[in-house]
Amino acid sequence: MDNTKRYERLRERYMNGDLSRRNFLGLLGAAGAAYGLVTPYRAMAADVTEVRFDGWGGVVSEALRANAFDPFENETGMKVVDGTFGGGDEYLSRVKASQPGEYNIAHLSGVFDYARYHNLGLSSELNEDNIPNLEFVIPKLIDVFRGVTDGKLSCVPYDYGTTGLAYNRKHISDEEMQEKGAMILLDADRKGKIAGWSDWRTRMWYAALQTGQSPNDITDVEAAWDAVRQHRDLSLKYWGSGAELMSLLAEEEIHVTEGWSGRIYALQEQGHDIGYMDPPNGFGWQECMFVIKGSPMEACEELLNFMLAPETSIAVAEGQNYPPALDPNKVDLGKKIPTLPAFDPNGTLENLTFADPGYWNGNEAEWAKTFGRVQKGY
């Protein structure tokens, strides 16, 4: 019996309720020690006492800490030092200014960020033999990363979601949202009760929808920037983090904004009557765990494999409210995950529109600069 089958049998016993979570993790570690699943690279990683991880904070960090990092530390004795960031651009600036090895694993958003890091010479090369749980991941999510790094991987896909429209049902009905879609963010009657993310990609993506253009092929750029300025003039403010997004909606300071699907689901779980919809060609994205060049590779691979174990990945997904990268055709994802926004039961992700990394990277320098001026009122 090979290692994969041994692992799969353990996982089936756990998913069938024949094993407790504690016993599953214990047997998983024992199986690795007995059959070589863990031992070879665990021995190489033994000298590494800690790995740094940086992510998005809030409920996402809480889910990772409780369901992945704490159990990993208990299993291996290796510490996970977790930090947070509010945006991808800010974090990249920190990494570029750091010493090699200072930052190790980052929870990056989209193939766009993956390509940016690779083009800056910050990518690593994973030994996939040390990450057998990659076999449970949706193939489409893996293939797009391989296309950027010549068939190799510097990351493992971890989750996906959408940046859709979030609205307070006390003030905006579901019917009105269906009628207006992305144009609701340009509704002059709601001036001062609108908000948006201070991210140039999101602003231009929604401007494309509002001007009837394809987000991955904006031909009338000036019309799109006019829509961005119109939205800015109607907005109470741009928000900068998931925590701020949730606070603005929960406190009813705003009635509508675009928002991250998992954060909106968290508000709904808390009892807030917040609606959520993905307009046609809404912003779909996937997130990955990216290993930065100069990191202790074996230790990072061990952590990534632990995080991708179905039991761990499902628990994290249920905590952060974003569907995991696991293929529903290979793994029983339980009861909650199929109810999450953006979840694809087929594992094809054909209903989501993702950013073309080449197109968005090619416009980054100019559009990020222009958005900086627009934010200041130009």
Side-chain angles (χ1 to χ4, degrees), residues 204 213 218-226 359 363 366-367:
M204 283 298 277
Q213 303 186 70
I218 300 174
T219 55
D220 191 342
V221 176
E222 286 308 310
W225 282 118
D226 285 343
Y359 175 77
N363 287 297
E366 180 181 348
W367 289 0

Side-chain angles (χ1 to χ4, degrees), residues 166-172 249 252 254-256 273-275:
Y167 55 99
N168 188 313
R169 287 196 175 97
K170 290 181 182 177
H171 305 281
I172 301 175
L249 285 168
E252 299 187 31
I254 61 170
H255 296 167
V256 64
D273 192 12
I274 304 298

Side-chain angles (χ1 to χ4, degrees), residues 267-286:
L267 281 172
Q268 294 169 342
E269 279 190 314
Q270 294 169 11
H272 299 284
D273 192 12
I274 304 298
Y276 183 79
M277 70 167 287
D278 287 309
N281 275 330
F283 199 160
W285 41 260
Q286 58 172 303

